[in-house]
Amino acid sequence: MGGAVSAGEDNDELIDHLKAAQYIRSELVEQAFRAVDRADYYLEEFKENAYKDLAWKHGNIHLSAPCIYSEVMEALDLQPGLSFLNLGSGTGYLSSMVGLILGPFGVNHGVELHSDVTEYAKQKLDFFIRTSDSFDKFDFCEPSFVTGNCLEISPGCSQYDRVYCGAGVQKQHEGYMKSLLKVGGVLVMPLEEKLTKITRTGPSAWETKKILAVSFAPLIQPCQSESGESRLVQLHSKQCTTGC
């Protein structure tokens, strides 16, 4: 999925093309995209493709196309101080852009199935914090990444203002995804081959909007441990004032 906009020579040119094509429509989203260089989340030998509007996958490492991330960021309607949960957080590219908008009083959590990708994301986050010219221009809500299956989040964990799932959600898991959301919150996920925005308007009231057709790999179903017990993912709701 991707290829909706022309390839850029650098990150700013990619963002210019996403703006011209109306994928990036708000100033906050534009600022976040310009502040996080997409090429920094690629392996060195693949960086020549970083500014193409195409998805990239190498082993367990995956990045969606820039036009998809643009639509996701716009649909999430991010604001400072909100809590965000990224299911299938991958390289941490999206989580870092979100963190620039959430600011010092937000919560920024990611759950990733593959431990090697979790470590990759932590390395990329450290690199961003140490080297980015734009880092000092923002109050950053640093992402916190944990390894686990996002279908096994502990029932005792808090609900979130904003939730994104980066894998195709089967219809039987739609209710589970909705349960992670606070009243007034927004959930964005691929559901039945459509990127879908669901707003929780009340305890049992929802508004659903289909954004665009997409093709995502499906969620991986949980496996039981050798003891037969599930391995619940624990998420702690600490704010970014102390570093998430």
Side-chain angles (χ1 to χ4, degrees):
M1 183 71 196
V5 303
S6 303
E9 293 297 321
D10 57 25
N11 199 63
D12 278 327
E13 198 167 295
L14 171 64
I15 308 317
D16 291 342
H17 292 157
L18 291 168
K19 276 191 70 180
Q22 289 292 298
Y23 284 102
I24 293 178
R25 301 179 289 277
S26 65
E27 187 176 344
L28 276 178
V29 170
E30 179 185 351
Q31 289 173 348
F33 266 85
R34 291 195 189 279
V36 182
D37 194 321
R38 182 175 167 87
D40 290 341
Y41 292 79
Y42 275 66
L43 293 168
E44 192 67 38
E45 60 266 36
F46 299 101
K47 283 191 174 183
E48 72 272 10
N49 296 315
Y51 305 121
K52 297 176 181 177
D53 188 29
L54 297 171
W56 172 63
K57 192 175 192 314
H58 182 77
N60 292 326
I61 302 168
H62 177 261
L63 279 166
S64 293
C67 67
I68 300 297
Y69 284 131
S70 304
E71 288 287 6
V72 168
M73 290 279 285
E74 292 287 359
L76 284 169
D77 188 23
L78 296 161
Q79 302 162 36
L82 296 181
S83 56
F84 173 64
L85 176 61
N86 188 355
L87 303 174
S89 48
T91 65
Y93 172 64
L94 178 68
S95 292
S96 290
M97 290 193 291
V98 170
L100 295 173
I101 297 176
L102 297 183
F105 302 108
V107 172
N108 193 357
H109 290 163
V111 179
E112 168 55 44
L113 182 64
H114 303 288
S115 58
D116 59 325
V117 181
T118 303
E119 289 309 308
Y120 185 88
K122 290 177 179 178
Q123 292 168 14
K124 295 301 181 183
L125 174 62
D126 178 67
F127 181 80
F128 172 69
I129 291 172
R130 287 188 294 105
T131 67
S132 173
D133 291 338
S134 58
F135 178 72
D136 291 336
K137 301 175 185 176
F138 294 84
D139 290 321
F140 187 46
C141 184
E142 185 175 327
S144 175
F145 302 114
V146 299
T147 302
N149 190 302
C150 67
L151 293 173
E152 295 186 300
I153 292 173
S154 171
C157 289
S158 299
Q159 293 173 315
Y160 290 80
D161 297 303
R162 300 290 186 269
V163 177
Y164 172 65
C165 182
V169 177
Q170 298 89 343
K171 189 66 177 176
Q172 68 263 33
H173 296 307
E174 180 181 356
Y176 169 86
M177 292 294 171
K178 288 178 174 178
S179 73
L180 301 172
L181 205 60
K182 293 180 182 178
V183 173
V186 173
L187 164 66
V188 178
M189 61 181 177
L191 181 67
E192 298 182 313
E193 302 297 306
K194 295 284 196 303
L195 189 66
T196 303
K197 176 179 180 178
I198 298 175
T199 304
R200 187 170 195 171
T201 57
S204 56
W206 313 86
E207 289 180 357
T208 301
K209 177 184 178 183
K210 305 291 186 182
I211 300 172
L212 78 166
V214 291
S215 178
F216 276 67
L219 282 173
I220 303 297
Q221 304 303 304
C223 297
Q224 288 190 326
S225 64
E226 292 179 3
S227 66
E229 298 177 355
S230 64
R231 290 153 289 199
L232 292 178
V233 177
Q234 301 293 335
L235 297 167
H236 302 288
S237 291
K238 58 183 180 180
Q239 291 183 318
C240 293
T241 47
T242 55
C244 289

